[in-house]
Short mmCIF file of all heavy atoms in Angstrom, two decimals:
data_model
loop_
_atom_site.label_atom_id
_atom_site.label_comp_id
_atom_site.label_asym_id
_atom_site.label_seq_id
_atom_site.Cartn_x
_atom_site.Cartn_y
_atom_site.Cartn_z
N THR R 248 -52.93 107.17 23.58
CA THR R 248 -51.69 106.36 23.44
C THR R 248 -51.04 106.12 24.69
O THR R 248 -50.90 107.04 25.61
CB THR R 248 -50.70 107.11 22.47
OG1 THR R 248 -51.23 107.15 21.16
CG2 THR R 248 -49.31 106.45 22.42
N ALA R 263 -46.67 110.77 25.96
CA ALA R 263 -46.74 110.65 24.57
C ALA R 263 -47.34 111.83 23.84
O ALA R 263 -47.95 112.70 24.56
CB ALA R 263 -47.46 109.39 24.10
N PRO R 264 -47.15 112.03 22.64
CA PRO R 264 -47.85 113.27 21.94
C PRO R 264 -49.36 113.09 22.13
O PRO R 264 -49.95 112.07 22.15
CB PRO R 264 -47.39 113.03 20.42
CG PRO R 264 -46.12 112.25 20.49
CD PRO R 264 -46.33 111.38 21.62
N PRO R 265 -50.03 114.18 22.16
CA PRO R 265 -51.51 114.11 22.45
C PRO R 265 -52.21 113.56 21.26
O PRO R 265 -51.87 113.75 20.08
CB PRO R 265 -51.90 115.63 22.57
CG PRO R 265 -50.82 116.39 21.89
CD PRO R 265 -49.60 115.60 22.07
N VAL R 266 -53.28 112.70 21.50
CA VAL R 266 -54.16 112.08 20.54
C VAL R 266 -55.00 113.18 19.93
O VAL R 266 -55.65 114.04 20.57
CB VAL R 266 -54.97 111.05 21.20
CG1 VAL R 266 -56.00 110.55 20.17
CG2 VAL R 266 -54.12 109.90 21.73
N ASN R 267 -55.21 113.14 18.65
CA ASN R 267 -56.22 114.08 17.99
C ASN R 267 -57.34 113.21 17.43
O ASN R 267 -57.31 111.96 17.47
CB ASN R 267 -55.68 114.96 16.93
CG ASN R 267 -55.10 114.24 15.77
OD1 ASN R 267 -55.45 113.03 15.49
ND2 ASN R 267 -54.20 114.85 14.94
N SER R 270 -56.21 110.37 14.89
CA SER R 270 -55.13 109.40 15.14
C SER R 270 -55.69 108.09 15.57
O SER R 270 -55.45 107.01 15.13
CB SER R 270 -54.12 109.96 16.05
OG SER R 270 -54.67 110.32 17.28
N LEU R 273 -52.01 104.20 18.12
CA LEU R 273 -50.60 104.15 17.81
C LEU R 273 -50.40 102.95 16.93
O LEU R 273 -50.98 101.88 17.22
CB LEU R 273 -49.70 104.09 19.08
CG LEU R 273 -48.21 103.83 18.83
CD1 LEU R 273 -47.40 104.74 19.63
CD2 LEU R 273 -47.96 102.38 19.14
N HIS R 275 -46.76 102.23 15.45
CA HIS R 275 -45.40 101.69 15.45
C HIS R 275 -44.40 102.51 16.28
O HIS R 275 -44.63 103.69 16.59
CB HIS R 275 -44.78 101.69 13.99
CG HIS R 275 -45.60 100.87 13.09
ND1 HIS R 275 -45.53 99.58 13.05
CD2 HIS R 275 -46.57 101.25 12.15
CE1 HIS R 275 -46.35 99.03 12.18
NE2 HIS R 275 -46.96 100.08 11.55
N LEU R 276 -43.35 101.94 16.77
CA LEU R 276 -42.48 102.42 17.80
C LEU R 276 -41.07 101.96 17.26
O LEU R 276 -40.86 100.79 16.91
CB LEU R 276 -42.71 101.91 19.11
CG LEU R 276 -42.04 102.58 20.32
CD1 LEU R 276 -42.43 103.95 20.49
CD2 LEU R 276 -42.28 101.70 21.58
N ALA R 277 -40.05 102.86 17.26
CA ALA R 277 -38.72 102.45 16.92
C ALA R 277 -37.69 103.29 17.67
O ALA R 277 -37.56 104.55 17.57
CB ALA R 277 -38.51 102.69 15.32
N GLY R 282 -32.65 108.47 20.27
CA GLY R 282 -34.06 108.87 20.53
C GLY R 282 -35.02 107.78 20.19
O GLY R 282 -34.69 106.61 20.12
N LEU R 283 -36.22 108.17 19.88
CA LEU R 283 -37.32 107.36 19.74
C LEU R 283 -38.30 107.89 18.72
O LEU R 283 -38.67 109.00 18.67
CB LEU R 283 -38.15 107.20 21.06
CG LEU R 283 -39.40 106.29 21.09
CD1 LEU R 283 -38.88 104.86 21.04
CD2 LEU R 283 -40.14 106.48 22.34
N TRP R 284 -38.69 106.98 17.76
CA TRP R 284 -39.71 107.31 16.74
C TRP R 284 -41.05 106.79 17.15
O TRP R 284 -41.13 105.64 17.65
CB TRP R 284 -39.36 106.72 15.31
CG TRP R 284 -38.15 107.32 14.71
CD1 TRP R 284 -36.88 106.83 14.64
CD2 TRP R 284 -38.10 108.58 13.88
NE1 TRP R 284 -36.09 107.61 13.99
CE2 TRP R 284 -36.79 108.71 13.48
CE3 TRP R 284 -39.10 109.57 13.59
CZ2 TRP R 284 -36.39 109.82 12.78
CZ3 TRP R 284 -38.70 110.65 12.92
CH2 TRP R 284 -37.34 110.81 12.40
N LEU R 285 -42.11 107.51 16.88
CA LEU R 285 -43.48 107.01 17.13
C LEU R 285 -44.36 107.35 15.93
O LEU R 285 -44.31 108.50 15.52
CB LEU R 285 -44.01 107.66 18.41
CG LEU R 285 -45.43 107.24 18.94
CD1 LEU R 285 -45.40 107.36 20.41
CD2 LEU R 285 -46.52 107.99 18.41
N ALA R 286 -45.06 106.42 15.38
CA ALA R 286 -46.08 106.60 14.26
C ALA R 286 -47.35 106.19 14.62
O ALA R 286 -47.57 105.22 15.23
CB ALA R 286 -45.44 105.87 13.02
N GLU R 287 -48.39 107.05 14.33
CA GLU R 287 -49.82 106.76 14.60
C GLU R 287 -50.52 106.21 13.39
O GLU R 287 -50.03 106.32 12.31
CB GLU R 287 -50.38 108.06 15.18
CG GLU R 287 -49.90 108.43 16.44
CD GLU R 287 -50.59 109.62 17.07
OE1 GLU R 287 -51.13 110.40 16.33
OE2 GLU R 287 -50.50 109.82 18.32
N ALA R 288 -51.70 105.75 13.60
CA ALA R 288 -52.50 105.08 12.59
C ALA R 288 -52.83 106.03 11.28
O ALA R 288 -52.84 105.61 10.19
CB ALA R 288 -53.79 104.58 13.09
N ASN R 289 -52.97 107.27 11.62
CA ASN R 289 -53.38 108.28 10.63
C ASN R 289 -52.10 108.85 9.88
O ASN R 289 -52.29 109.79 9.13
CB ASN R 289 -54.22 109.41 11.13
CG ASN R 289 -53.45 110.27 12.14
OD1 ASN R 289 -52.39 109.87 12.59
ND2 ASN R 289 -53.95 111.50 12.39
N GLY R 290 -50.85 108.34 10.18
CA GLY R 290 -49.69 108.85 9.49
C GLY R 290 -49.02 110.01 10.15
O GLY R 290 -48.04 110.63 9.57
N ARG R 291 -49.40 110.33 11.39
CA ARG R 291 -48.56 111.28 12.15
C ARG R 291 -47.29 110.64 12.71
O ARG R 291 -47.39 109.53 13.32
CB ARG R 291 -49.39 111.81 13.34
CG ARG R 291 -50.61 112.69 12.85
CD ARG R 291 -51.03 113.66 13.96
NE ARG R 291 -51.15 113.01 15.30
CZ ARG R 291 -51.29 113.66 16.41
NH1 ARG R 291 -51.28 115.00 16.50
NH2 ARG R 291 -51.37 112.95 17.59
N VAL R 292 -46.09 111.23 12.45
CA VAL R 292 -44.89 110.70 12.90
C VAL R 292 -44.10 111.75 13.76
O VAL R 292 -44.04 112.92 13.43
CB VAL R 292 -44.00 110.32 11.76
CG1 VAL R 292 -42.59 109.80 12.21
CG2 VAL R 292 -44.69 109.24 10.91
N PHE R 293 -43.64 111.22 14.94
CA PHE R 293 -42.95 112.17 15.98
C PHE R 293 -41.71 111.54 16.32
O PHE R 293 -41.42 110.27 16.19
CB PHE R 293 -43.73 112.17 17.23
CG PHE R 293 -45.11 112.86 17.06
CD1 PHE R 293 -46.26 112.14 16.75
CD2 PHE R 293 -45.31 114.26 17.34
CE1 PHE R 293 -47.51 112.68 16.56
CE2 PHE R 293 -46.57 114.89 17.17
CZ PHE R 293 -47.61 114.09 16.82
N ARG R 294 -40.72 112.42 16.59
CA ARG R 294 -39.42 112.02 17.08
C ARG R 294 -39.11 112.57 18.51
O ARG R 294 -39.41 113.71 18.79
CB ARG R 294 -38.31 112.49 16.12
CG ARG R 294 -36.81 112.36 16.63
CD ARG R 294 -36.39 110.96 16.36
NE ARG R 294 -34.93 110.88 16.64
CZ ARG R 294 -34.32 109.65 16.68
NH1 ARG R 294 -34.99 108.65 16.53
NH2 ARG R 294 -32.99 109.72 17.00
N ARG R 295 -38.66 111.66 19.43
CA ARG R 295 -38.33 112.12 20.75
C ARG R 295 -36.88 112.08 21.02
O ARG R 295 -36.31 111.01 20.88
CB ARG R 295 -39.15 111.31 21.76
CG ARG R 295 -39.04 111.67 23.28
CD ARG R 295 -39.79 110.81 24.18
NE ARG R 295 -40.02 111.31 25.45
CZ ARG R 295 -39.21 111.11 26.56
NH1 ARG R 295 -38.11 110.30 26.33
NH2 ARG R 295 -39.48 111.56 27.72
N GLU R 296 -36.37 113.19 21.47
CA GLU R 296 -34.93 113.30 21.83
C GLU R 296 -34.93 113.94 23.16
O GLU R 296 -35.37 115.08 23.27
CB GLU R 296 -34.12 113.91 20.71
CG GLU R 296 -33.98 113.13 19.51
CD GLU R 296 -33.02 113.73 18.44
OE1 GLU R 296 -32.56 114.82 18.75
OE2 GLU R 296 -32.94 113.12 17.42
N THR R 299 -38.18 115.88 24.69
CA THR R 299 -38.98 116.67 23.77
C THR R 299 -39.45 115.89 22.52
O THR R 299 -38.66 115.17 21.84
CB THR R 299 -38.13 117.88 23.28
OG1 THR R 299 -37.62 118.63 24.38
CG2 THR R 299 -38.83 118.80 22.29
N TRP R 300 -40.68 116.09 22.22
CA TRP R 300 -41.33 115.46 21.03
C TRP R 300 -41.37 116.47 19.88
O TRP R 300 -41.66 117.69 20.09
CB TRP R 300 -42.80 115.02 21.32
CG TRP R 300 -42.84 113.81 22.16
CD1 TRP R 300 -43.19 113.77 23.45
CD2 TRP R 300 -42.64 112.42 21.72
NE1 TRP R 300 -43.24 112.48 23.87
CE2 TRP R 300 -42.89 111.59 22.80
CE3 TRP R 300 -42.35 111.86 20.59
CZ2 TRP R 300 -42.79 110.21 22.85
CZ3 TRP R 300 -42.22 110.45 20.46
CH2 TRP R 300 -42.45 109.64 21.66
N THR R 301 -40.94 116.09 18.70
CA THR R 301 -40.97 116.91 17.52
C THR R 301 -41.73 116.24 16.44
O THR R 301 -41.47 115.18 16.09
CB THR R 301 -39.50 117.19 17.02
OG1 THR R 301 -38.63 117.82 18.03
CG2 THR R 301 -39.45 118.07 15.77
N PRO R 302 -42.76 117.01 15.84
CA PRO R 302 -43.45 116.44 14.84
C PRO R 302 -42.72 116.39 13.52
O PRO R 302 -41.99 117.29 13.19
CB PRO R 302 -44.74 117.35 14.64
CG PRO R 302 -44.26 118.63 15.29
CD PRO R 302 -43.30 118.25 16.37
N HIS R 303 -42.76 115.30 12.74
CA HIS R 303 -41.98 115.13 11.57
C HIS R 303 -42.93 115.02 10.26
O HIS R 303 -42.60 115.72 9.27
CB HIS R 303 -41.08 113.88 11.64
CG HIS R 303 -39.77 114.17 12.25
ND1 HIS R 303 -38.61 114.11 11.54
CD2 HIS R 303 -39.43 114.53 13.47
CE1 HIS R 303 -37.60 114.42 12.38
NE2 HIS R 303 -38.05 114.70 13.63
N LEU R 304 -43.92 114.16 10.35
CA LEU R 304 -44.74 113.95 9.16
C LEU R 304 -46.27 113.90 9.57
O LEU R 304 -46.62 113.63 10.79
CB LEU R 304 -44.41 112.57 8.52
CG LEU R 304 -43.08 112.43 7.80
CD1 LEU R 304 -42.84 110.96 7.42
CD2 LEU R 304 -42.98 113.34 6.74
N ASP R 305 -47.07 114.30 8.65
CA ASP R 305 -48.54 114.16 8.87
C ASP R 305 -49.10 113.69 7.55
O ASP R 305 -49.49 114.52 6.73
CB ASP R 305 -49.16 115.41 9.25
CG ASP R 305 -50.63 115.29 9.78
OD1 ASP R 305 -51.16 114.17 9.65
OD2 ASP R 305 -51.19 116.26 10.31
N PHE R 313 -42.78 100.67 10.12
CA PHE R 313 -41.79 101.74 10.50
C PHE R 313 -40.58 101.10 11.04
O PHE R 313 -40.62 100.29 12.03
CB PHE R 313 -42.38 102.67 11.47
CG PHE R 313 -41.62 103.94 11.58
CD1 PHE R 313 -41.99 105.16 11.03
CD2 PHE R 313 -40.40 103.95 12.26
CE1 PHE R 313 -41.26 106.31 11.16
CE2 PHE R 313 -39.64 105.15 12.45
CZ PHE R 313 -40.05 106.26 11.80
N LEU R 323 -40.40 104.26 6.34
CA LEU R 323 -41.86 104.19 6.68
C LEU R 323 -42.64 103.74 5.34
O LEU R 323 -42.36 104.36 4.34
CB LEU R 323 -42.32 105.51 7.13
CG LEU R 323 -43.71 105.71 7.51
CD1 LEU R 323 -43.84 106.94 8.53
CD2 LEU R 323 -44.63 106.08 6.32
N TRP R 337 -36.79 113.85 5.55
CA TRP R 337 -37.62 112.78 4.99
C TRP R 337 -37.82 113.03 3.43
O TRP R 337 -37.90 114.19 2.95
CB TRP R 337 -39.03 112.80 5.59
CG TRP R 337 -38.99 112.21 6.97
CD1 TRP R 337 -39.01 112.87 8.12
CD2 TRP R 337 -39.18 110.81 7.29
NE1 TRP R 337 -39.06 112.05 9.23
CE2 TRP R 337 -39.15 110.71 8.70
CE3 TRP R 337 -39.22 109.68 6.61
CZ2 TRP R 337 -39.23 109.52 9.36
CZ3 TRP R 337 -39.26 108.47 7.18
CH2 TRP R 337 -39.29 108.33 8.56
#
Side-chain angles (χ1 to χ4, degrees):
T248 294
V266 173
N267 65 18
S270 60
L273 174 133
H275 301 284
L276 190 67
L283 180 71
W284 291 100
L285 185 151
E287 294 179 340
N289 66 339
R291 295 201 311 166
V292 176
F293 297 86
R294 171 79 174 169
R295 186 178 193 268
E296 294 183 356
T299 303
W300 288 102
T301 302
H303 272 247
L304 294 173
D305 192 351
F313 191 105
L323 180 155
W337 285 96

